[in-house]
Amino acid sequence: MEIMFLKMKLKHKDSDWRIGYTFDSMSPIADFSECNAVQKIVVEHPASSFNKHPLITKITDEGSITLTDTSFTEWNQGILTKVKIDSLKFKELFDEYFGFLKRKPIE
Protein backbone atom coordinates (compact mmCIF):
# COMPACT_ATOMS: atom_id res chain seq x y z
CA MET A 1 0.00 0.00 0.00
CA GLU A 2 1.42 3.34 -1.02
CA ILE A 3 0.64 6.33 1.19
CA MET A 4 1.21 9.78 -0.23
CA PHE A 5 1.21 13.11 1.54
CA LEU A 6 -0.37 16.02 -0.24
CA LYS A 7 -1.44 19.56 0.39
CA MET A 8 -5.19 20.00 0.29
CA LYS A 9 -7.74 22.76 0.64
CA LEU A 10 -11.34 21.63 0.94
CA LYS A 11 -13.89 23.78 -0.87
CA HIS A 12 -16.23 25.62 1.52
CA LYS A 13 -14.20 24.34 4.47
CA ASP A 14 -10.54 25.43 4.48
CA SER A 15 -9.06 28.86 4.01
CA ASP A 16 -5.46 27.59 4.03
CA TRP A 17 -3.67 24.61 2.52
CA ARG A 18 -3.00 21.75 4.93
CA ILE A 19 -1.42 18.31 4.90
CA GLY A 20 -3.69 15.49 3.84
CA TYR A 21 -3.28 11.84 3.02
CA THR A 22 -4.18 9.83 -0.02
CA PHE A 23 -4.29 6.13 -0.70
CA ASP A 24 -4.19 4.29 -4.01
CA SER A 25 -7.68 2.79 -4.35
CA MET A 26 -6.45 0.61 -7.23
CA SER A 27 -3.98 -1.09 -4.90
CA PRO A 28 -6.07 -3.34 -2.65
CA ILE A 29 -4.83 -4.28 0.79
CA ALA A 30 -3.35 -7.75 0.53
CA ASP A 31 -2.67 -8.14 4.22
CA PHE A 32 -4.13 -6.21 7.15
CA SER A 33 -0.61 -5.73 8.49
CA GLU A 34 -0.27 -3.10 5.73
CA CYS A 35 -2.69 -0.98 7.74
CA ASN A 36 -0.06 -0.73 10.47
CA ALA A 37 1.89 1.71 8.30
CA VAL A 38 -1.14 3.97 8.04
CA GLN A 39 -1.80 3.75 11.77
CA LYS A 40 1.84 4.57 12.53
CA ILE A 41 1.69 7.73 10.41
CA VAL A 42 -1.60 8.87 11.92
CA VAL A 43 -0.41 8.23 15.47
CA GLU A 44 3.24 9.29 15.26
CA HIS A 45 3.88 11.69 12.37
CA PRO A 46 4.63 15.23 13.64
CA ALA A 47 2.48 16.82 10.93
CA SER A 48 -0.55 14.62 11.61
CA SER A 49 -3.46 16.61 12.98
CA PHE A 50 -4.94 13.42 14.43
CA ASN A 51 -2.44 12.94 17.26
CA LYS A 52 -2.45 16.35 18.94
CA HIS A 53 -5.86 16.55 20.61
CA PRO A 54 -9.01 14.45 20.96
CA LEU A 55 -10.97 14.36 17.70
CA ILE A 56 -14.01 12.33 16.68
CA THR A 57 -16.17 12.69 13.57
CA LYS A 58 -19.45 11.13 12.54
CA ILE A 59 -21.24 11.25 9.21
CA THR A 60 -24.92 12.18 9.57
CA ASP A 61 -27.85 12.13 7.16
CA GLU A 62 -27.47 15.90 6.79
CA GLY A 63 -23.65 16.16 6.69
CA SER A 64 -21.22 15.54 9.53
CA ILE A 65 -20.34 16.45 13.09
CA THR A 66 -16.85 16.80 14.52
CA LEU A 67 -15.94 17.16 18.17
CA THR A 68 -12.55 18.24 19.48
CA ASP A 69 -11.50 19.35 22.94
CA THR A 70 -12.02 22.99 21.89
CA SER A 71 -14.83 22.98 19.31
CA PHE A 72 -17.99 21.34 18.03
CA THR A 73 -18.46 21.58 14.25
CA GLU A 74 -21.61 20.62 12.39
CA TRP A 75 -22.17 20.54 8.64
CA ASN A 76 -25.93 20.42 8.05
CA GLN A 77 -27.13 20.52 4.44
CA GLY A 78 -24.07 22.54 3.41
CA ILE A 79 -24.28 25.01 6.29
CA LEU A 80 -21.33 25.12 8.70
CA THR A 81 -21.79 25.81 12.40
CA LYS A 82 -18.72 25.83 14.64
CA VAL A 83 -18.86 26.55 18.36
CA LYS A 84 -15.97 26.92 20.79
CA ILE A 85 -16.36 24.68 23.84
CA ASP A 86 -14.72 23.92 27.18
CA SER A 87 -13.97 20.54 28.78
CA LEU A 88 -17.40 20.28 30.44
CA LYS A 89 -19.20 20.95 27.17
CA PHE A 90 -16.89 18.44 25.45
CA LYS A 91 -18.09 15.71 27.82
CA GLU A 92 -21.75 16.69 27.35
CA LEU A 93 -21.52 16.73 23.55
CA PHE A 94 -19.55 13.49 23.50
CA ASP A 95 -22.28 11.76 25.49
CA GLU A 96 -25.03 13.29 23.36
CA TYR A 97 -23.60 12.60 19.91
CA PHE A 98 -21.03 9.86 20.42
CA GLY A 99 -22.39 8.03 23.46
CA PHE A 100 -22.13 4.70 21.64
CA LEU A 101 -18.94 4.15 23.60
CA LYS A 102 -20.95 3.99 26.81
CA ARG A 103 -21.89 0.51 27.85
CA LYS A 104 -25.41 -0.30 28.97
CA PRO A 105 -25.70 -2.25 32.21
CA ILE A 106 -26.14 -5.97 31.71
CA GLU A 107 -29.56 -7.06 32.93
Side-chain angles (χ1 to χ4, degrees):
M1 173 189 325
E2 183 178 356
I3 305 163
M4 297 176 280
F5 295 94
L6 58 95
K7 290 282 189 167
M8 62 184 214
K9 185 174 175 182
L10 300 176
K11 185 178 180 180
H12 304 299
K13 196 168 188 178
D14 294 324
S15 57
D16 295 319
W17 290 93
R18 60 188 175 104
I19 291 179
Y21 306 98
T22 184
F23 306 95
D24 184 355
S25 63
M26 299 306 291
S27 175
I29 297 171
D31 184 335
F32 279 114
S33 65
E34 294 179 43
C35 295
N36 292 338
V38 175
Q39 181 182 20
K40 185 173 178 65
I41 290 169
V42 169
V43 171
E44 297 177 6
H45 195 282
S48 173
S49 60
F50 300 106
N51 61 23
K52 308 297 185 275
H53 304 279
L55 177 129
I56 187 167
T57 297
K58 181 166 84 172
I59 302 298
T60 66
D61 291 337
E62 298 81 24
S64 67
I65 53 176
T66 301
L67 180 64
T68 72
D69 57 339
T70 60
S71 67
F72 177 72
T73 305
E74 181 175 22
W75 281 93
N76 189 328
Q77 299 180 357
I79 299 170
L80 170 69
T81 306
K82 187 169 186 171
V83 180
K84 290 184 179 186
I85 62 169
D86 61 17
S87 60
L88 286 175
K89 192 66 174 174
F90 173 85
K91 291 174 186 172
E92 289 174 21
L93 291 168
F94 181 87
D95 287 344
E96 181 178 345
Y97 291 97
F98 303 97
F100 61 87
L101 296 176
K102 289 174 122 181
R103 299 200 184 257
K104 293 183 179 179
I106 298 174
E107 295 179 1

